[in-house]
Amino acid sequence: MTTTLNMQTFTVPGPRPSPFLGRALSLWQFVNDSVGFSRKLFREYGNLVALDAGGGTRLYSPRPTCCGTVFVCGADLVRQVVTQHDVYYKYPLTGPLYS
């Protein structure tokens, strides 16, 4: 699924938002059991996964231009995320749920 958000294209796979609860369902599942929910996402969608398909979540980012929350699993992907600071913005727990 490709969604344009803030002039960026977000194509990372992930669960579709709930028709009734929207992105709140994924947020609740992650906050309730972050390790278990992350494992479920990795099993279903692979080693690079969005909290919600199409983006729209910015769980850890205070930036309004953040197109979505993604998770990675595996040494190669983790290395890319932690070394490419111009591509992947990383913040401490300061997003909407961690003010």
Side-chain angles (χ1 to χ4, degrees):
M1 174 176 205
T2 301
T3 301
T4 302
L5 297 168
N6 299 316
M7 299 186 331
Q8 296 178 353
T9 302
F10 193 85
T11 57
V12 179
R16 293 186 182 275
S18 165
F20 300 108
L21 300 174
R23 290 175 171 83
L25 179 60
S26 292
L27 288 171
W28 180 84
Q29 289 175 311
F30 181 75
V31 170
N32 188 48
D33 179 12
S34 58
V35 173
F37 188 61
S38 297
R39 283 183 183 168
K40 177 181 181 255
L41 293 176
F42 291 136
R43 273 194 315 271
E44 291 180 22
Y45 300 99
N47 288 343
L48 174 66
V49 64
L51 186 58
D52 275 313
T57 59
R58 55 182 190 95
L59 185 62
Y60 295 113
S61 176
R63 301 179 112 192
T65 57
C66 175
C67 57
T69 301
V70 297
F71 304 106
V72 298
C73 179
D76 291 336
L77 288 174
V78 170
R79 187 176 304 106
Q80 287 181 30
V81 169
V82 299
T83 60
Q84 296 181 14
H85 303 289
D86 58 328
V87 176
Y88 302 100
Y89 297 100
K90 296 158 280 298
Y91 292 93
L93 300 179
T94 59
L97 294 178
Y98 303 99
S99 53

